[in-house]
Amino acid sequence: MSVLKLKLDQEQLVEDFFEDTWLAGIISQAKDYQLCWQINKQLGYDFRVNNSLEINLTKNRRAFYFTVFEYQELTKSAAHYLYNNHCKAEFLLPELKHVDYIWLIKGNYYQDADVKNLIEQCRKAELVQLVSLLDMKDIRNKINLIF
């Protein structure tokens, strides 16, 4: 009797997950809940922590938990996710150690000009030091963002 082995195609999973997405990096010394409150106030959003999306990474037999905040824009069929990039001394995306938070915008409503406008509005939040659009090609650990 032969055993059928199924292998998850991670490249296809990453490609599917990141279809119609934008990524921005945010630098802020604020706690994640304080930053979300400010972004909510500035943009009229309603980011809330979603514990079911929390990302768990294990390195050297230690567990690290990265908080994910979510906001669904139902009228635009768009979803916004704000990932905490730090947990203790570990990073969700090690190639972006200088970035404190990752903002993922998912959905085909937003175009280049819309995203640039959102970033400009986000920059006006008091606790935000810097926001910049990230190039997907520069991110090696995209799989860490998939929940």
Side-chain angles (χ1 to χ4, degrees), residues 20 22 105 107-118 133:
D20 294 325
W22 299 88
I105 303 167
N108 61 7
Y109 174 84
Y110 285 96
Q111 301 303 311
D112 192 44
D114 302 315
V115 173
K116 286 179 180 172
N117 184 44
L118 280 179
L133 204 54

Side-chain angles (χ1 to χ4, degrees), residues 13-129:
L13 177 69
V14 167
E15 188 178 313
D16 291 346
F17 184 84
F18 288 99
E19 185 177 350
D20 294 325
T21 60
W22 299 88
L23 273 183
I26 299 175
I27 297 176
S28 173
Q29 298 305 307
K31 301 279 187 199
D32 51 14
Y33 62 89
Q34 293 170 321
L35 179 66
C36 283
W37 182 82
Q38 280 253 313
I39 291 173
N40 287 343
K41 189 173 143 186
Q42 183 67 37
L43 298 175
Y45 282 7
D46 191 20
F47 271 108
R48 293 179 183 239
V49 69
N50 186 334
N51 292 323
S52 66
L53 298 179
E54 185 177 70
I55 297 182
N56 177 9
L57 292 182
T58 304
K59 291 187 180 183
N60 300 326
R61 292 184 275 146
R62 289 184 61 204
F64 299 95
Y65 300 93
F66 298 90
T67 310
V68 179
F69 289 77
E70 177 183 32
Y71 168 59
Q72 296 284 334
E73 261 185 303
L74 300 176
T75 57
K76 297 178 180 175
S77 297
H80 300 261
Y81 302 96
L82 191 72
Y83 299 79
N84 199 330
N85 194 37
H86 298 126
C87 178
K88 300 173 187 165
E90 199 54 56
F91 298 92
L92 183 62
L93 296 178
E95 62 272 26
L96 296 175
K97 289 181 181 178
H98 62 285
V99 171
D100 299 305
Y101 300 95
I102 314 296
W103 180 8
L104 179 120
I105 303 167
K106 195 167 181 46
N108 61 7
Y109 174 84
Y110 285 96
Q111 301 303 311
D112 192 44
D114 302 315
V115 173
K116 286 179 180 172
N117 184 44
L118 280 179
I119 287 173
E120 284 302 315
Q121 291 301 311
C122 187
R123 281 188 181 127
K124 295 176 183 175
E126 186 179 322
L127 296 174
V128 172
Q129 293 172 311

Side-chain angles (χ1 to χ4, degrees), residues 135-146:
D135 191 340
M136 292 285 197
K137 290 178 260 160
D138 296 337
I139 312 238
R140 293 185 310 272
N141 296 290
K142 290 183 197 113
I143 194 82
N144 290 356
L145 295 176
I146 298 176

